[in-house]
């Protein structure tokens, strides 16, 4: 498998999010996604990409792209991730460790900034085309996007 970093234009995404503060716990993250999917079904919404990001240390946010008109309820909030230029890498987590990818991407972006290709590195996010825990195909195409300013 070849893994390479590159820049691309990511579209705007309308997402429903559910955040949690505390220590990393994959079981709780899966629960956040399950709550979002149940909410979308209750509201008869189609879902698209799945997102995971950490806005700050010890805060974990799960998000699901929604298609259709919706209103947040309870702890579920709606937000729009604006269209942006992103540094992107797609890889299979069974073949390459995410730690290696994050480390390589961080260094690559540092050199891009040093070489004046980009001005600023903003937010990191993981993007999945569906439920990564129920589909090996989705898991094998994990994408990490880093919003950058050129």
């Amino acid at each position: 498998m070849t893994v390479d970093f590159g820049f691309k234009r990511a579209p705007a995404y309308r997402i429903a999010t559910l955040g949690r503060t505390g220590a990393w716990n994959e079981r709780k993250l899966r629960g956040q996604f399950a709550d979002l999917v149940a909410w979308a079904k209750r509201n008869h919404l189609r879902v698209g990409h799945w997102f995971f990001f950490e806005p700050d240390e010890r805060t974990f946010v799960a998000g699901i792209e929604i298609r259709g008109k919706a209103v947040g309820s309870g702890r579920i909030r709606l937000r729009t991730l604006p269209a942006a230029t992103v540094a992107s890498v797609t890889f299979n987590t069974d073949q390459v460790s995410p730690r290696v990818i994050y480390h390589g991407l961080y260094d690559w972006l540092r050199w891009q900034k040093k070489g004046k290709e980009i001005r600023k590195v903003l937010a990191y996010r993981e993007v999945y085309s569906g439920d990564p825990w129920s589909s090996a195909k989705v898991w094998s195409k994990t994408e990490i996007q880093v919003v950058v300013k050129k």
Side-chain angles (χ1 to χ4, degrees):
M1 165 178 233
T2 302
V3 176
D4 197 12
F5 309 120
F7 292 110
K8 72 177 191 178
R9 188 80 179 153
Y13 296 102
R14 181 81 171 139
I15 63 173
T17 61
L18 189 54
R20 184 183 66 76
T21 302
W24 166 255
N25 187 324
E26 185 176 334
R27 183 179 50 78
K28 289 183 179 180
L29 179 64
R30 289 177 79 164
Q32 286 173 263
F33 278 115
D35 290 348
L36 287 168
V37 169
W39 172 83
K41 283 185 181 179
R42 276 195 313 273
N43 289 290
H44 308 289
L45 298 168
R46 293 179 302 128
V47 298
H49 292 89
W50 292 37
F51 295 85
F52 168 69
F53 48 95
E54 300 174 55
D56 55 50
E57 195 173 316
R58 299 181 56 85
T59 301
F60 305 97
V61 178
I64 295 182
E65 180 184 18
I66 55 171
R67 297 180 180 139
K69 293 188 183 216
V71 176
S73 60
R75 297 180 2 235
I76 296 174
R77 302 285 179 250
L78 299 178
R79 69 171 71 172
T80 299
L81 299 177
T85 300
V86 296
S88 174
V89 59
T90 303
F91 65 103
N92 184 341
T93 57
D94 292 331
Q95 294 178 350
V96 182
S97 170
R99 253 185 249 172
V100 171
I101 297 297
Y102 272 105
H103 181 74
L105 183 58
Y106 176 81
D107 279 350
W108 183 75
L109 286 169
R110 190 169 45 120
W111 281 102
Q112 295 298 310
K113 193 173 176 185
K114 198 173 203 176
K116 307 280 190 223
E117 294 294 320
I118 60 174
R119 288 186 297 137
K120 196 170 190 179
V121 175
L122 299 171
Y124 284 76
R125 60 190 180 207
E126 292 180 16
V127 182
Y128 303 93
S129 59
D131 182 355
W133 292 285
S134 67
S135 171
K137 183 178 179 185
V138 170
W139 195 249
S140 71
K141 295 190 183 290
T142 298
E143 181 181 9
I144 297 173
Q145 294 180 350
V146 183
V147 181
V148 297
K149 289 218 179 206
K150 282 198 159 201

